Amino acid sequence: WSSDVCSSDLIYLNKAENELAKNTRQLEVERNKLKSLLQSMGDGVIVVDTEMNVIFENEVSRRIFGNALGKKCYKAFLQRDQACKDCTLSHTMRDGRIRTVIRRRRLNGRNLWLEVTSSGVKDENGKVVGGIETLRNITRRRNAELKNRALNRMLKQKQAKIENDRSEEHTSELK
């Protein structure tokens, strides 16, 4: 009787061990798929925990800011010693609202314009366990917008000058 219990226990443990190994391999495959997707995105991706520690960054983010993994986000990205008072990601993690803002950063002596979208990350119970930000480089678009505004201002000034010159010409003809 005791040898039957032992062999059935061993069979059960062996099956459980095989099932665990299979599930672990499947999880690893899924983890690698997710990591590959995030790494292949054209936008920067940063994930932080609730203490604002960077726990994931993709290659695009690393190229923009350097290696931030394991660092406080405010230290890594803004060289601050304390969390930002107007931190979009903190607000998002508190209230669950997705936010998008435009941020300007100086990088290598040049302005870099980023569209930053912040979202909370929740566990299976709905508890906020961190946040994720995507960083889209919109420098070309923003520079084009700024150039367009400047050209529109110049055009309005020229139009005003032409109108003024016509008005003066008309006035002098009346004299």
Side-chain angles (χ1 to χ4, degrees), residues 46-49 52-57 68-73 76-77:
I46 298 162
V47 180
V48 300
D49 62 18
M52 307 309 280
N53 298 303
V54 177
I55 58 173
F56 176 84
E57 62 182 340
L69 203 57
K71 300 175 186 171
K72 298 286 186 186
C73 62
F77 306 128

Side-chain angles (χ1 to χ4, degrees), residues 88 91-93 95-101 116-120 132:
T88 307
H91 293 305
T92 294
M93 288 192 295
D95 66 18
R97 289 184 33 225
I98 295 172
R99 291 178 169 79
T100 301
V101 295
V116 180
T117 301
S118 302
S119 305
I132 185 169

